Structure formats: C-alpha cells, structure tokens
Amino acid sequence: MKRYIPCILAIECLAIALAFFAHSYGLHTDEAKYLLSIPYPHPPLMRGVFSLIDGWRCQEIFIRIVVSTLLLQSSWFFWNSAKTLGVAKRICVLLVWLTSSAVLLQAGTIMLAVLTAIQAVVLVWMYERRPNVSLGAMGLLWIIMLFTAYQAVLFTPIVFAYLFQKNKSFKDVCLYGMIPILLLGLYTLTNPLVLQSFLLHSRSQSVVEMSMQFLRVILIGAGVVGLAALYAAIVKRQYVYGLVFLMLCLYCLLKSYSYYAILFTPIVVILFSKYIQILSMKKVVALTIVSVCSSVATILFVGYLPDSTTAQKTASLISMSQNDVVLMYGNFGHQWQYVLGGHIRKYHPDLLDIANTILCFQPCQEIADSAFSHRSIGDIDVYTKL
Amino acid sequence: MNIKIVDIGYMLTVMVLLVFFSYKIFVFRYIFLDSSVRASVQNITKILAAEEGFLLSGMKIQSVSRDEVQLCYREYKKGKDDRYCFTRSL
C-alpha cells in the first residue's frame, strides 16, 4: 500500500487543480440546479446530498473538489480490473484514463454526467470482478445510478449481462435489474413536472448542428483510443461494452450536450485495457502517447467549458439583503438563484410594488417607474428601488 | 442459500421505495385517471406561477382531489429555502 501513496497524492493534487480550474469558469446553470437540488428533470439522490450543505459559504468549491477527487481516484478501479496485465501496461491504462480530455475538462464540474461516469467505472469493475461481487451490491449500485440521473439506463446492458452471467437466472435479472428501472418509472410518475420539463428542455437543432455536436462529444469522450476500443469490442468479443458504446452514440445523437462526453470514457478505457492484452509493450506505449497527445490537442482546439461568470460579477455589484425581492425579466439561468439570494421572482407588472431590484436580461421599456434608478451592468439592465 | 447483508439492504431499499412511490401515486391518482383534473391542475399551476412570479422549477403538486389541488412553491436558494403553499379549487 505504501508504494501507492505518492501516486494517490499526485492524483489528488491534479484533482484539486482541476476543481479550481473549473471554478474559474464560474457557476453554470445546471451546476447551480444540482447544488440547490432544484427538482427537474433528474432524480433526487445526489443533488439531494449536495444540497445538504447549501448553507455553506464554500459549498461550490468543496463539491467541485469532492467530485474531481472521486473521478480521478476512480482510476484505481481500472488498476484493479486490469490485474492480469503487467504493471507497465496497467500504468498505461491509468494514464489513458487520467489524461483523457473528458476527464481533464469535466473533473471539476458539478454535473450529474460526471457522477454517472464515476458510477459507471464502479459498475465496470463489478462486471469484471463478477465472481466476487454479490447480487445485492450490484442491485444497490444500480438503484444509486438510476436515482442519480436518468442517463444511467444507458448502462443497462452491463447490469443485465452481469446478472445473467452470475447465476444464469432470469429471476435475478428481474429482481435486481428490472425492479430498479420500475422504481425509477414510479418516481417519474410521482413528479408530473419532470415529464413536462423533458419537453421544455428538448432543443431543436439542424442535422448539421447535431452532427457537429456529436463529433465533438465523441472526440472529447472517446478520442483516438475510441477506435482501438471499438476494435477491441469486436476482436475481443466484448459485445456488452460495444452495445453500451452504441447506445451512448445513439443517445448523444439525439441529445448532443457536450457534457455527455464523459459517459463514453469508462467504456473506452476498459476496452483499451482489453485491447492492449494482445499488444507488445512498445505498441502499448506508442498508443498511450498518441492518446495523451490527442487529448491535449482536443482540449486546446475543441475544449468546451463555457464562461459563466456573469452572474457572480453582476451580483458583486448589486447591494441587496436576503429579504429583498428581485424581479427577473427575460431568460436567466439557475446560477442567479444561487448567487443573488433574496426572493427571486419572474417579472410581472403587479409585483413592482414589492420589488427592490429588477434585472432585465432583455430590453424592458415598460419599467418607466420613477421609483427605480437605472444602470447597466454588461448586457443586463439593473433597476434599483430609490 | 448464502444471503449477505447487502442483499438484505437491497431488498429493504426496494421495499421502502416501492411503498413510498405507491403511496405518492395513490395521492396523485386523479391526475392520471381524470383528464379534466389533469388539464385544470396544469392550468392553475401556470396561472399561479405567472401571478406570483414563481419559477415553474420550484412548483410542486402536493395533493390532488376531484375538487381541489394543493400546490407548493419552494424558493430554492443558498441556506434555508422558503415555502409557500396554496389551495385552489378545480
């Protein structure tokens, strides 16, 4: 164990650095949604845990460091899964995971896709070590995954393959595989607004836009190693991982958000570890170097972390108390709820009497009330009660 | 048969969730069974949100009967969230 400590510490330093790197880009609307546990569209398990400490001043950076640490330290599951390989090849597997562009770009982000990826690493490890893993442990992990985020269903083939191969029993597949999905369905029925929010958040994109976005997701999530992984899925007959990869591709074609890139990475890395079993050490090193270089190139040329510091900057320029009513005019993200505090309301003319501040994200000429003073902060018009 | 603690933990988790969600579905049964109740609830939710300036993401249906619906609004923010509940006739 002692010989691993310097390596664990080095990974931890990288995790903390990546958390601060993501923090410098500001709080994204989805991140604020999970930190405050705003209930749509995903189930409540992990966002509920995050919100337990939403009174903390340093909640955001603390959660960033925790998520980043879990993602990077999960590399030890790959280390254990690849036990049959020599130490040098296992180091290459670790490097491919730690330097993949999705891990480096998304490690410090507070997104449920990252948590699903961490859980997928554990799932893959359980599948690889199936003789030693009990059905209950797999069932519990499956429930945790499903109640973290809906996209976990994309990993169903691994769960079902584990359950079927464990005892070759259809009963186990139903009891440990299907019932958690049924429970997720029941949860969705008990939250009618979740279904509505799915429709609200479906975007209309052109075929070209969708294709470009899909390529971007594949490049960040799978990269060059993805090709080796696909080859391994066929040659090494890893059809379960191949099916998950295909399902992820189909899902990302339909809902091509950049942050889904990391869902590919656990599958790609485990397939990479299968592929290098048959390669000489020289070829493995060459492939690892290509992987690291392509990750760096992807981060430099395709990297996607959007700047979302406007809310923090604006909030620091507005003096308001926690009892103030703030009216918001136009479209705005949940990060405003996080940084402003106070009572946030959507603009309605009848609420002008109780409002202390009005933030206009679109031109709002109808506020000609002399009771408010006007100033502009960036693209935002701010009206403050005199 | 070798039953481990995690297997018992899994079974207990499933039972608790099943009972909880079944109860919630029973509470919301009129939304699923009666299309006029469903439409009215949707309408009242939108009107209430617009009048009070509430964000739809904070709205929650607390309970529904054939005659009335109880809607709650939770003001999500750092620290303690404020909650407001309203009962409206259908």
Side-chain angles (χ1 to χ4, degrees), chain A residues 118-124 126 136-147, chain B residues 10:
Chain A
I118 297 166
Q119 292 161 348
V121 173
V122 182
L123 179 71
V124 163
M126 281 188 169
M138 176 56 88
L140 280 173
L141 175 69
W142 189 219
I143 287 183
I144 290 169
M145 284 184 79
L146 291 172
F147 279 85
Chain B
Y10 171 77

Side-chain angles (χ1 to χ4, degrees), chain B residues 59-70:
Chain B
M59 301 289 293
K60 193 175 181 186
I61 303 162
Q62 200 65 25
S63 62
V64 186
S65 70
R66 280 199 193 280
D67 310 315
E68 61 181 30
V69 58
Q70 191 185 25

Side-chain angles (χ1 to χ4, degrees), chain B residues 1 3-4 7-8 16 18 27-28 34 43 45 47 55 59-60 62-63 66 69 71 75 85-86:
Chain B
M1 197 173 159
I3 297 177
K4 294 178 181 171
D7 296 327
I8 296 168
V16 169
L18 201 62
V27 170
F28 291 140
D34 192 331
N43 207 22
T45 307
I47 291 170
L55 312 179
M59 301 289 293
K60 193 175 181 186
Q62 200 65 25
S63 62
R66 280 199 193 280
V69 58
L71 293 161
E75 213 168 55
C85 288
F86 304 83

Side-chain angles (χ1 to χ4, degrees), chain A residues 16-290:
Chain A
I16 293 169
L18 290 173
F20 277 96
F21 172 69
H23 186 64
S24 69
Y25 280 82
L27 190 66
H28 192 260
T29 177
D30 289 316
E31 294 179 320
K33 194 167 74 178
Y34 305 137
L35 287 176
L36 295 174
S37 192
I38 294 174
Y40 76 96
H42 291 293
L45 184 62
M46 294 316 286
R47 60 178 168 79
V49 172
F50 290 167
S51 73
L52 288 176
I53 55 164
D54 70 4
W56 288 15
R57 186 182 276 271
C58 57
Q59 182 210 16
E60 184 195 342
I61 188 64
F62 177 76
I63 301 283
R64 281 188 197 283
I65 292 171
V66 169
V67 172
S68 183
T69 298
L70 290 174
L71 185 71
L72 267 72
Q73 297 291 359
S74 68
S75 51
W76 299 107
F77 285 101
F78 289 116
W79 181 263
N80 191 266
S81 299
K83 252 182 175 174
T84 51
L85 301 174
V87 173
K89 283 187 178 178
R90 287 164 86 188
I91 290 172
C92 289
V93 174
L94 230 66
L95 275 175
V96 167
W97 168 253
L98 290 171
T99 61
S100 73
S101 39
V103 168
L104 292 176
L105 280 170
Q106 294 184 251
T109 60
I110 308 166
M111 299 298 287
L112 295 184
V114 178
L115 295 178
T116 303
I118 297 166
Q119 292 161 348
V121 173
V122 182
L123 179 71
V124 163
W125 174 78
M126 281 188 169
Y127 180 65
E128 292 296 317
R129 312 264 301 150
R130 51 190 170 275
N132 305 321
V133 175
S134 74
L135 289 165
M138 176 56 88
L140 280 173
L141 175 69
W142 189 219
I143 287 183
I144 290 169
M145 284 184 79
L146 291 172
F147 279 85
T148 295
Y150 281 102
Q151 62 254 17
V153 291
L154 296 167
F155 294 91
T156 304
I158 300 176
V159 178
F160 280 25
Y162 162 88
L163 293 171
F164 194 73
Q165 288 172 18
K166 178 90 176 167
N167 292 338
K168 301 234 179 280
S169 154
F170 184 68
K171 189 193 85 186
D172 287 345
V173 175
C174 290
L175 189 60
Y176 295 94
M178 301 285 275
I179 285 180
I181 296 176
L182 176 82
L183 288 172
L184 183 67
L186 290 179
Y187 162 79
T188 309
L189 283 176
T190 60
N191 289 271
L193 290 175
V194 168
L195 293 170
Q196 201 177 354
S197 74
F198 270 124
L199 299 173
L200 282 174
H201 286 78
S202 56
R203 300 184 300 179
S204 55
Q205 284 180 309
S206 69
V207 176
V208 177
E209 276 177 330
M210 278 171 70
S211 309
M212 291 309 289
Q213 184 67 3
F214 174 69
L215 281 176
R216 198 177 147 97
V217 169
I218 285 283
L219 205 58
I220 295 172
V224 178
V225 182
L227 294 173
L230 278 180
Y231 181 74
I234 297 162
V235 173
K236 300 286 287 181
R237 298 186 178 184
Q238 299 291 331
Y239 300 129
V240 175
Y241 295 132
L243 182 60
V244 175
F245 192 92
L246 195 70
M247 285 170 69
L248 286 168
C249 286
L250 287 173
Y251 181 69
C252 289
L253 261 175
L254 295 171
K255 282 176 83 82
S256 48
Y257 291 104
S258 298
Y259 50 76
Y260 288 137
I262 198 151
L263 297 178
F264 286 90
T265 317
I267 301 300
V268 166
V269 174
I270 194 69
L271 284 173
F272 173 78
S273 74
K274 304 276 177 197
Y275 179 59
I276 61 174
Q277 283 174 355
I278 51 172
L279 294 184
S280 66
M281 195 55 218
K282 264 186 187 173
K283 285 181 181 171
V284 174
V285 171
L287 198 57
T288 306
I289 292 170
V290 170

Side-chain angles (χ1 to χ4, degrees), chain A residues 36-37 39-40 54 56 134 136 139-140 175-176 179-180 186 189-190 193 334 337-338 342-343 345-346 348, chain B residues 6-7 10-11 13-14 18 21 24-25 28 32 50 52-55 57 59 75-79 82 84:
Chain A
L36 295 174
S37 192
Y40 76 96
D54 70 4
W56 288 15
S134 74
L140 280 173
L175 189 60
Y176 295 94
I179 285 180
L186 290 179
L189 283 176
T190 60
L193 290 175
H334 293 293
Q337 281 172 276
Y338 191 86
H343 303 283
R345 296 275 193 275
K346 275 201 132 183
H348 192 280
Chain B
V6 278
D7 296 327
Y10 171 77
M11 293 300 178
T13 309
V14 166
L18 201 62
F21 292 138
K24 291 276 278 184
I25 286 179
F28 291 140
F32 306 119
E52 299 287 335
F54 292 155
L55 312 179
S57 56
M59 301 289 293
E75 213 168 55
Y76 289 96
K77 59 184 174 187
K78 271 176 82 73
D82 295 322
Y84 311 91

